[in-house]
Amino acid sequence: MVDYIIVGLGLAGISFCEKLKEENKTFIVFDDNSQQSSGVAGGMYNPVILKRFTKVWRAKEQLDLAIPFYKKLEKRFDTQFDYKTPVYRRFTSVEEQNLWFETADKPLLEEFMHPKIHTNENKCIDTEFGYGEVLQAGRVTIDKLQQLYFQSLHESGNIETISFDYDFLKLEKDHVSYKDITSKYIVFAEGFGLKKNPFFSYLPLNGTKGELLTIKAPDLKLDFILKSSVFIIPLNDDLYRIGATYEWNDKTNQATEKAKKELVEKLRSFLKCDFEIVDQQAGIRPTVIDRRPLVGQYPKSDQVYVLNGMGSRGVMIAPYISEQLFNHLENKEELDSEIDIKRFENKYFKG
Ligand SMILES: Cc1cc2nc3c(=O)[nH]c(=O)nc-3n(C[C@H](O)[C@H](O)[C@H](O)COP(=O)(O)OP(=O)(O)OC[C@H]3O[C@@H](n4cnc5c(N)ncnc54)[C@H](O)[C@@H]3O)c2cc1C
């Protein structure tokens, strides 16, 4: 008998397990490595939407939980995960500069946007109009975190590296059973894998494929994350992640020539130094039609829950929705109505 079964050890599963650990709950995780959104992600967090210069949904609440969350994990694993790297938005016109000035002055945004325009000093970057700097931004090495987290669960015997077979789940009055495991609750955190889950496949999770390149560019010497038509995220040893693409039809995790070409063309439009492509990766973001997470209860059982729908912002959202779900289950607190899957029940759940 455990308190929780968790299906999926991406960012959502990791955050929820961490909450359970903190609260001394027992759990067992299933992960079959069928989805790789967390493993390939750029790992960036930034509280400003850089297309329109608006605030990210619940930015402050999310950051207030996310920053201590990654710090705690850094301590536990004695490894750095959170690299506080500024994000610079490259401007393409005077109008964009003016819009930046205007929005950086607004009460809800001033803590996240540097009020001055930075001029460019990097010979590899072509920009006439300079940059706006986003404050309280950075990058989390999710791949490293996921590996270490997996390893620690493996060592403590808390993870099964096989597919969860939905046919074997039995829903009882006050618990669930799965093969020889009995649990108070089950939480599904399968990312885009949710599409195969018979309990929650009714939810409007679209999934958006994203691809990223890793390049080596010895002359670039960039020490901030640059956002232009693509992102350039500095890693180490002159390596940079370039991304990402958005593709709505192809739902495979395979890297494509089409995405590579698109990323290289966009990059060459403003990067003036030589580079070599050393890697390419793809994954499916768990995106939702109304751009809000999917959290809550299967309408026919008090024991079955979902934790999903983080779209392209898993780094910031995961600790927030995990805290919400835990408090809902254990402390009977209401879920934030914007993330609660009840919002889709009348329209999509056919019972
Ligand atoms: C190209 C790209 C770039 C991105 N960049 C960023 C970024 O810079 N910043 C940011 O915040 N977010 C970014 N994201 C989004 C972020 O990756 C996601 O929001 C987040 O990783 C989703 O986490 P998850 O745990 O919900 O899903 P996943 O990471 O997909 O994890 C789900 C897990 O469930 C497992 N699973 C599924 N079905 C089963 C089953 N039946 N049995 C057992 N296990 C199962 C899978 O193997 C997987 O490990 C990016 C995504 C992509 C694709």
Side-chain angles (χ1 to χ4, degrees):
M1 175 88 187
V2 286
D3 294 318
Y4 286 83
I5 297 172
I6 315 291
V7 182
L9 195 71
L11 266 177
I14 290 174
S15 305
F16 196 70
C17 288
E18 202 42 31
K19 188 69 198 163
L20 295 179
K21 228 173 150 43
E22 192 181 295
E23 304 285 345
N24 293 316
K25 300 287 177 193
T26 54
F27 60 89
I28 177 97
V29 179
F30 287 82
D31 196 291
D32 62 0
N33 208 17
S34 55
Q35 291 297 324
Q36 49 197 53
S37 187
S38 299
V40 305
M44 232 175 23
Y45 59 91
N46 103 71
V48 180
I49 295 172
L50 293 170
K51 232 185 217 168
R52 306 186 291 272
F53 305 157
T54 51
K55 188 172 69 72
V56 162
W57 171 78
R58 303 268 192 273
K60 188 160 168 40
E61 293 90 328
Q62 289 179 23
L63 279 176
D64 283 351
L65 285 168
I67 301 303
F69 170 78
Y70 295 108
K71 194 165 217 64
K72 200 174 115 212
L73 287 166
E74 287 181 335
K75 253 197 183 155
R76 181 138 79 82
F77 290 103
D78 193 20
T79 304
Q80 185 171 4
F81 299 122
D82 179 3
Y83 292 79
K84 298 197 184 308
T85 318
V87 173
Y88 279 30
R89 164 65 151 82
R90 174 178 171 266
F91 296 128
T92 53
S93 65
V94 172
E95 287 74 27
E96 279 193 345
Q97 289 180 328
N98 288 338
L99 185 61
W100 184 274
F101 280 132
E102 238 174 73
T103 27
D105 211 24
K106 290 188 177 153
L108 288 175
L109 279 152
E110 62 183 353
E111 65 177 311
F112 301 131
M113 293 168 77
H114 196 291
K116 295 213 174 83
I117 305 277
H118 296 306
T119 51
N120 181 43
E121 280 160 20
N122 190 318
K123 288 199 180 77
C124 287
I125 310 290
D126 182 9
T127 170
E128 227 182 292
F129 303 98
Y131 309 105
E133 181 186 346
V134 181
L135 308 170
Q136 301 188 47
R139 175 176 74 91
V140 169
T141 51
I142 311 175
D143 49 348
K144 203 185 337 168
L145 170 62
Q146 201 178 17
Q147 272 167 25
L148 290 178
Y149 212 91
F150 172 86
Q151 213 175 301
S152 79
L153 292 184
H154 192 62
E155 280 162 15
S156 58
N158 290 110
I159 189 160
E160 302 268 352
T161 51
I162 45 170
S163 286
F164 184 86
D165 187 341
Y166 305 97
D167 290 342
F168 285 89
L169 184 68
K170 293 203 177 76
L171 311 186
E172 312 290 353
K173 200 162 180 296
D174 56 359
H175 67 276
V176 296
S177 59
Y178 181 72
K179 300 183 180 176
D180 57 350
I181 304 168
T182 309
S183 175
K184 208 165 152 195
Y185 297 113
I186 182 161
V187 173
F188 289 106
E190 309 114 310
F192 187 64
L194 187 81
K195 283 287 176 205
K196 293 188 182 150
N197 180 326
F199 303 100
F200 292 109
S201 56
Y202 74 90
L203 292 170
L205 183 83
N206 291 336
T208 311
K209 182 169 180 175
E211 297 194 45
L212 291 153
L213 300 176
T214 306
I215 62 162
K216 189 159 183 95
D219 299 331
L220 180 51
K221 306 292 176 224
L222 199 66
D223 57 3
F224 52 83
I225 296 170
L226 172 59
K227 162 70 176 142
S228 184
S229 46
V230 284
F231 277 103
I232 304 183
I233 306 173
L235 306 175
N236 45 25
D237 299 329
D238 297 323
L239 294 171
Y240 300 87
R241 302 300 291 287
I242 309 299
T245 56
Y246 287 80
E247 157 64 49
W248 290 268
N249 297 316
D250 175 5
K251 307 290 187 193
T252 68
N253 284 325
Q254 264 72 58
T256 63
E257 277 305 311
K258 184 176 164 236
K260 188 202 276 185
K261 189 164 171 270
E262 177 188 328
L263 292 170
V264 168
E265 270 173 18
K266 285 184 173 167
L267 186 61
R268 283 203 205 284
S269 70
F270 65 95
L271 183 72
K272 299 296 159 204
C273 58
D274 292 336
F275 62 87
E276 175 199 349
I277 298 168
V278 296
D279 196 13
Q280 182 176 357
Q281 286 178 307
I284 314 287
R285 305 172 184 90
T287 47
V288 183
I289 49 170
D290 66 356
R291 293 166 185 246
R292 294 289 176 266
L294 297 171
V295 183
Q297 184 195 323
Y298 174 55
K300 287 179 151 180
S301 167
D302 289 349
Q303 269 65 48
V304 182
Y305 289 81
V306 65
L307 189 69
N308 208 313
M310 301 192 297
S312 52
R313 297 191 177 270
V315 172
M316 278 173 65
I317 294 180
Y320 178 74
I321 60 173
S322 298
E323 181 93 2
Q324 283 271 329
L325 181 60
F326 183 87
N327 286 337
H328 178 63
L329 291 175
E330 299 290 340
N331 304 325
K332 306 296 162 226
E333 288 180 16
E334 288 275 303
L335 283 176
D336 177 340
S337 60
E338 287 196 57
I339 68 174
D340 194 335
I341 55 168
K342 275 201 183 118
R343 69 193 189 276
F344 294 123
E345 208 167 301
N346 286 343
K347 190 159 179 201
Y348 295 105
F349 187 65
K350 300 283 180 260

